[in-house]
Amino acid sequence: MPTHTTDGRDEAAMATARARLYELLAATFDGEAETTAAALDRGAFAAVAEVFPIDIETADLRGDDHDAGSLGVGYDNLFVVPGTHYVPPFASAHATDPSEAFESDSRYHTAGEAGELLGDPAADMARLYAAAGFSPERGGDIPDHIATCFEFMRALCEREAALLEGDGTEANLDAVRELQARTLSQLGWIDRFEEAVASSDTVEGVFAAIARLARTFTAWDAEEVVQADQQPSETTPT
């Protein structure tokens, strides 16, 4: 199967690069402080930020002064321990509409209001995982946890690269890209998540900067994937 687009891009290499970034974001938002510290040290986040047409401040994405210990504390304060700086790292908490049918005694749920734990966004993501035969390992069994969503996108991008590099059929490639597009369409909540992190991460600013990068990347990827998905398949009559 040809792996180059009309403008000369290597689609397999692009899919692999996307997979690597999704994996790094998944690890970061799953609390792997050592992975995050190493990525900051080698400038991995800053290098990605610099290729986007949107201006992203990279000062907080550089340097070796962010050790794993301090990043671990910062992560816990933002995404684990409820408190003044806590930002729930799952989609259901940032939903603007209440779930259709939901019962819970969670402190993050008020009957008839949005912002519940394991609401409709979690059910939507779980259905996508089932459709792909995917079993998440990240996110603490919360299907709409941001780390789980990024883990899933990593797996889909790796599958795309494997199909492009191997003998995958056009139909299989279309199916994987459709799953990518459906998943990315569920990630609009990252806009609200990034804004909340920016308001809460006011001391070091590292996670605010990474959340901004994640928001920019998923928006770019959604546009790229959706546009590709709208192109007629070579095997489909027009």
Side-chain angles (χ1 to χ4, degrees), residues 12-37:
M14 178 70 73
T16 298
R18 289 165 58 223
R20 288 173 178 169
L21 180 53
Y22 276 122
E23 173 59 21
L24 179 55
L25 291 172
T28 295
F29 288 110
D30 203 33
E32 291 187 11
E34 291 186 0
T35 298
T36 306

Side-chain angles (χ1 to χ4, degrees), residues 17 36 45 52 75 79 84 99 106 116 130-131 141 144-146 148 155 165-166 183-184 197 206 237:
T36 306
F45 291 112
F52 286 112
Y75 178 89
F79 308 122
T84 57
S99 298
S106 167
E116 61 270 70
D141 296 324
D144 56 340
H145 192 291
I146 188 170
T148 313
E165 292 173 339
T183 301
L184 288 164
V197 176
V206 176

Side-chain angles (χ1 to χ4, degrees), residues 117-212:
L117 174 66
L118 297 179
D120 284 347
D124 291 340
M125 291 305 302
R127 282 191 286 270
L128 286 171
Y129 302 154
F134 174 74
S135 298
E137 296 181 359
R138 298 188 181 279
D141 296 324
I142 300 176
D144 56 340
H145 192 291
I146 188 170
T148 313
C149 297
F150 287 154
E151 179 192 11
F152 184 48
M153 281 301 300
R154 183 268 303 161
L156 292 176
C157 290
E158 286 182 346
R159 179 58 176 159
E160 178 186 2
L163 289 169
L164 287 165
E165 292 173 339
D167 55 357
T169 66
E170 192 75 24
N172 287 339
L173 183 60
D174 287 346
V176 168
R177 287 175 169 167
E178 180 183 358
L179 277 171
Q180 291 180 18
R182 289 171 59 190
T183 301
L184 288 164
S185 72
Q186 297 289 329
L187 300 186
W189 67 277
I190 292 178
D191 291 359
R192 295 184 293 278
F193 171 77
E194 183 267 327
E195 291 168 358
V197 176
S199 297
S200 296
D201 187 20
T202 57
V203 179
E204 294 184 344
V206 176
F207 288 103
I210 296 174
R212 174 62 174 162

